[in-house]
Amino acid sequence: MASPTAPTKPSHAELLEMLEAPDLTKSERRELRKAARFQKRVELWEVRRSTPHPPKIHRAVVTLLMMAACLGVLYLLLAGPPPA
């Protein structure tokens, strides 16, 4: 049994070239513009996923500060009210 091959989707540039055809109806143009926007987002997502990006230092700092704040609140809860 032969496996069916999935048709490849046109790239963003190819969809923009298709938009230049003079014999398109309004609905066809709208659909092509929508497909081009979607394909642009897909290609951008693929580029972002394929390129490594450096870790963000501020996220680690904020996480550590939030952990310290949570530990402080936990200590205050467990210590109870101050003696009067």
Side-chain angles (χ1 to χ4, degrees), residues 12-73:
H12 177 68
E14 292 170 344
L15 288 168
L16 290 179
E17 286 178 15
M18 287 185 214
L19 269 171
E20 295 174 3
D23 59 343
L24 294 175
T25 63
K26 276 186 167 184
S27 63
E28 289 172 333
R29 282 190 194 283
R30 186 173 49 245
E31 288 298 319
L32 273 176
R33 272 191 243 115
K34 183 178 176 183
R37 284 193 309 266
F38 179 76
Q39 188 61 31
K40 185 177 179 182
R41 286 196 307 263
V42 167
E43 290 174 6
L44 181 62
W45 180 80
E46 288 172 347
V47 167
R48 286 181 179 166
R49 293 269 305 184
S50 66
T51 57
H53 46 280
K56 307 231 182 307
I57 299 298
H58 72 278
R59 289 186 181 174
V61 171
V62 168
T63 301
L64 290 173
L65 289 174
M66 291 300 292
M67 290 171 73
C70 288
L71 286 174
V73 169

